[in-house]
Amino acid sequence: MMDATHSPQLRSWVASANGHPDFPIQNLPFGIIQPRGETRRGGVAIGDEVLDLARLSASGLLAGDAQMACALAAQTTLNAFLGLGPKPRRALRAALSDLLKEGAQPRHGLLHAAKDCRLHLPAKIGDYTDFYAGINHAEAVGKLFRPDAPLMPNYKHVPIAYHGRASSICLSGAQVRRPNGQRLPPGASEPVFGPCQRLDYELEMGIWIGDGNELGAPVPIAKAGDAIAGFCLLNDWSARDIQAWEYQPLGPFLAKNFQTSISAWIVTPEALAPFRCAVMERGSGDPKPLPYLTDASDQKEGGLALQLEVLIATEQMRAKNMAPHRLSLGSSKDLYWTPAQMVAHHTVGGCNLSPGDIFGSGTISGKTREALGSLLEITEGGKSPVQLPSGETRTFLQDGDEIVFRARGVKEGCAPIGFGECRGVVVGH
Ligand code: MN
């Protein structure tokens, strides 16, 4: 649903917002900020500044649904705001757009410089589920593990996922400690214990749950889009050697639970309205999704068309002030299942979702080498190293390596918006 808040002509009295690569006035993403010397509260990124929702809520400038939503978003976590659902969230977006647009009275007292604010996890995350909807990734990885049967027979019928670990989700910027664990060295018959030797990243979208559901009350596919409160970037750091040894028969465990990084800002479904697209087209031999996963409008516009970029900067590159090296540029279009299908499937058996729960989409890879969302795929399981501009090579991540994800919506006739970064440096023991 497009409205006045999306107009590419819209400009803000916050000068740095105009032409900002991530946070122009058409975006207005929510996060938890802590201005210097103050407590945590909700904020909205606008250019290089942040709008303080606690100050706005106390200002008397808003009324009705917008004020109610602002008061909840001003709390120390965004859970209550996320749980409100779309209507008050849209009212607040419209009010914020009016407040910040060029021509409105500038209210600099409501702003902080972003660099003066510490960022925190946007919500208390109760549960985390990681899907596997990137079909090109599933095929490529399946080929490495099972050359004769890359895709399991269930893949095109059921959105595959595992229950992840909410406790180890960290905000972008947190260091990533290389995990210890068991691995089976090539050719060995007994495992060894020690630091992971094949540390990898996984490029994923994070999907924030808004208004959840009661236990035993599934969310029908037609309403599942409204259960999603926003999106972020998610790095599902993965210990490939630990994973290969432990994953059968119950799936990922310690290979994935040591840390997951997410970007700080929740980009709302409203901000992403211009960048919706049809679900990935199914091959002629593919089964139709079952009726509980099928909704005409979700099929037509339930996908997301965002550019996704992965960059690496090794310790040596950073010391020499070299620009980060792009490892891939892909698109969130490369998902076999839509976020709404994930919600409908997750709840169809009766499982309840709560405001502030998060899903990972699964690693998003394109069909070409330039668009692969993990080192496992880029290096073909560690066989073909990546050459870096510093003269170094990588098969998997070394201590000191920094990985940065970026996402951007770009479309003819629309103001481009971005997600900010999801960043992490690997450290050893
Ligand atoms: Mn994953």
Side-chain angles (χ1 to χ4, degrees), residues 128 130-132 137 162 202 204 234 236 238 256 362-363:
Y128 159 46
D130 195 23
F131 280 83
Y132 198 50
H137 169 80
Y162 65 93
E202 289 194 338
E204 307 195 19
L234 184 147
D236 177 24
S238 296
K256 302 280 192 172
T363 309

Side-chain angles (χ1 to χ4, degrees), residues 252-272:
F253 188 31
L254 272 62
K256 302 280 192 172
N257 73 2
F258 58 96
Q259 191 161 331
T260 303
S261 299
I262 60 172
S263 55
W265 297 101
I266 299 181
V267 180
T268 62
E270 290 70 55
L272 292 171

Side-chain angles (χ1 to χ4, degrees), residues 148-228:
D148 43 333
L151 271 193
M152 290 292 188
N154 56 10
Y155 189 87
K156 292 176 175 176
H157 296 271
V158 51
I160 301 293
Y162 65 93
H163 283 116
R165 186 75 198 167
S167 65
S168 52
I169 298 180
C170 296
L171 197 68
S172 168
Q175 290 186 330
V176 182
R177 175 95 32 204
R178 179 180 299 275
N180 280 319
Q182 285 193 30
R183 64 194 151 83
L184 190 68
S189 54
E190 297 290 322
V192 297
F193 177 84
C196 163
Q197 305 291 301
R198 289 161 71 95
L199 186 60
D200 200 357
Y201 61 84
E202 289 194 338
L203 171 64
E204 307 195 19
M205 298 291 303
I207 298 157
W208 286 100
I209 299 301
D211 186 15
N213 61 304
E214 296 296 323
L215 186 67
V219 182
I221 180 72
K223 296 198 168 147
D226 281 349
I228 295 166

